Structures are given as C-alpha cells and as structure tokens.
Amino acid sequence: MRPVLLVAAQRTSTALLLARAAARRGLETYTLTGPHTLAALTGRPVHWYGGPLTADRVAGPAGLGLLEPPDDWLVRLPREFTARRIELTTLARAWTLPRPAFVKPPGDKSFPAAVYADGSRLPRTGERLGPDTPVLVGEVVHFAAEYRLFLLDRAVAAGSRYAVHGVLDVAPLAGERYERQVRRFAGRLLAAAGDLLPSAVTVDVGLLREPGTGRGRWAVVEANMPWFSHSYAAPPDAVLDVVLRAAGPLGRVSPADRPFLRPERPERPERSVGRE
C-alpha cells in the first residue's frame, strides 16, 4: 500500500517542505485532525513528522516506531566532544542550582531550553512537569556559530547553519565558510560515539570561542529527534530520508535501532515550546 507521511495539525515550514519532498517520491501526506485521520490510515505504512506529545498519542494506533537519542547521550560523550561540564539530573535537583546554568529537557521540549540565572527561575511542578522530570544541566558557554546535522547511517545526510552568536542566522551547509570543519568534526564524533545514537538522528554542533584567545573549538550542542527538528536551509529531500527512517512503521525498525525506540508515555496535552 502507498506509504503516508502524517504531519501534525500545527503545520510548520519544515512540514510543508517535507510534504512536497514526499509527493515527489510518491508518498501521500495527511494532516492529523482527529481520530478519523488515523482510522483512514489503518493498515497503511505511516511515517510521522510533528511534536513528541502528539506522537505519544498516535504512535500506537499508527503503528509507529519513533527513534530518539538517549537522554544521557551528551553526558556519556568524551569531554573532547562537549568541551563543557554537563550533568543529567532531575528538575528537583535543578531547582537548587545557586548559579547560572544552561538547562533543558533532553527531548520533549516540556519547557524552554535556556540559560537560567539560578534554579529558582526554572518552571515548578505543573501538569506536564514533576520533580523527577529529567533535565540536562550544562556549563554556560558561547557558541559563535551553530549547525544542524541530519545523520543517517553514521554519515551527514543534510545540514544547515541555524545561528550565529546565538541569533537565528540560516544558511545552507554546502559552501558555508565552516563546512569542511563541521564535516570533519562530525566524522570524528561519529567514529568515536556513533554507536551511542540511532541510525537516524539530528545532532547540533557549534564553534566555541575560547575567551581571551580568539581561538575556536568545535563541540556538540545537543541531539534531537529528526521527526521534530526544523530543517532550516538543509535540502528537504535529504532531510526526508532521515525523517522516514526515524519515524516509520514499528515492524521495519532494525534490531540495532530497537534500543533507541521512544518508550510509551502517558498522554499529556501538547504545547510547542522553543525551536523545533
């Protein structure tokens, strides 16, 4: 049966680009507007692009296997690839932070990833948050330039610059001034830690400026799910290849990728926070 790209009702520029790329290769695109949408797709191979909270609700009925990087991936990386202190902890512990820190949820964007002056500025217990919510706490650093890489089978399938000095500044990776350095760093990263990631994943990397020296150092910013990552200026057809692998029929997930399947989560109301 003809495969389907299912997208969230809240359409984004990336979803529109992926829908056009999907049409070029014979996939139909459906917008999720309610239970009747899933009912109409019964028995068809479905792929997903959209938010993780909605994905948790539709994964079972749609038969989806959703790949995501482990919560502790950044923590497990050798320091040469992070260039800063990073800890995986709980929101309750993060509330006690006495100093500025960069704090983010590992994957579901349940609150904004940002530099918080101290733990008291972090969100408190709410409908979607609790003391045991996992968070990544990192040393505050400054990235001079940041790039999004869509990785497939331990290779860069597509990429884009998305920020310069923390300000949105989008440009294609191809021909960009740091393209060779980005690809070289990604190659070293994947050679050293590629087995810690699923076969389809999004990894952001950036150039850190060392204060007072003018020198730069490449480091990993974070890893994300391709099925909820903005493509920026990356080629949509190549991005679609990564999305289709990362969010497709559960029965097609390879044994090597099964440890990276997103576990079932209780239903929660959806709200998009921060960048895709």
Side-chain angles (χ1 to χ4, degrees):
M1 299 184 72
R2 192 175 178 189
V4 168
L5 176 64
L6 179 63
V7 298
Q10 184 179 3
R11 302 296 291 273
T12 65
S13 58
T14 298
L16 293 172
L17 290 170
L18 292 179
R20 293 170 190 162
R24 288 193 289 270
R25 63 179 69 181
L27 278 75
E28 288 187 274
T29 297
Y30 279 73
T31 299
L32 180 67
T33 56
H36 63 281
T37 308
L38 296 175
L41 299 178
T42 300
R44 299 184 64 177
V46 176
H47 300 266
W48 168 254
Y49 182 81
L53 304 183
T54 300
D56 290 338
R57 295 198 293 271
V58 304
L64 288 169
L66 302 169
L67 303 182
E68 64 179 7
D71 287 352
D72 64 350
W73 181 68
L74 271 176
V75 177
R76 295 164 65 190
L77 278 183
R79 183 70 176 267
E80 66 176 292
F81 295 113
T82 61
R84 63 198 187 279
R85 295 186 301 274
I86 303 172
E87 177 188 10
L88 178 65
T89 185
T90 63
L91 185 57
R93 289 189 61 193
W95 287 332
T96 68
L97 286 170
R99 63 188 185 282
F102 181 82
V103 185
K104 72 180 294 288
D108 67 6
K109 301 184 186 297
S110 53
F111 65 87
V115 174
Y116 292 86
D118 56 57
S120 69
R121 310 299 178 90
L122 285 162
R124 311 302 291 185
T125 303
E127 190 172 13
R128 296 186 300 128
L129 295 173
D132 294 331
T133 300
V135 295
L136 288 167
V137 177
E139 180 183 358
V140 178
V141 294
H142 175 74
F143 285 99
E146 296 169 74
Y147 300 80
R148 172 150 296 168
L149 304 178
F150 290 84
L151 307 178
L152 186 64
D153 293 327
R154 300 192 188 184
V156 177
S160 171
R161 188 183 74 205
Y162 64 87
V164 174
H165 296 295
V167 178
L168 186 67
D169 191 340
V170 175
L173 178 62
E176 207 270 348
R177 62 179 295 195
Y178 290 120
E179 179 187 5
R180 288 187 180 181
Q181 293 184 41
V182 169
R183 292 185 181 277
R184 190 179 305 121
F185 177 74
R188 290 198 298 110
L189 171 68
L190 291 169
D195 60 344
L196 302 178
L197 290 170
S199 67
V201 69
T202 303
V203 172
D204 294 346
V205 303
L207 180 62
L208 286 171
R209 289 299 185 190
E210 299 179 8
T213 68
R215 294 193 298 268
R217 180 178 179 180
W218 290 95
V220 173
V221 179
E222 62 181 358
N224 286 300
M225 309 88 82
W227 42 270
F228 190 46
S229 292
H230 200 299
S231 62
Y232 297 113
D237 289 277
V239 172
L240 181 62
D241 287 333
V242 183
V243 171
L244 294 180
R245 174 79 64 82
L250 179 60
R252 298 182 186 176
V253 176
S254 70
D257 274 334
R258 287 197 167 268
F260 302 103
L261 283 169
R262 182 175 175 86
E264 291 186 9
R265 288 168 166 81
E267 282 195 13
R268 297 177 294 178
E270 175 103 51
R271 183 169 68 94
S272 178
V273 180
R275 282 191 186 132
E276 292 178 76

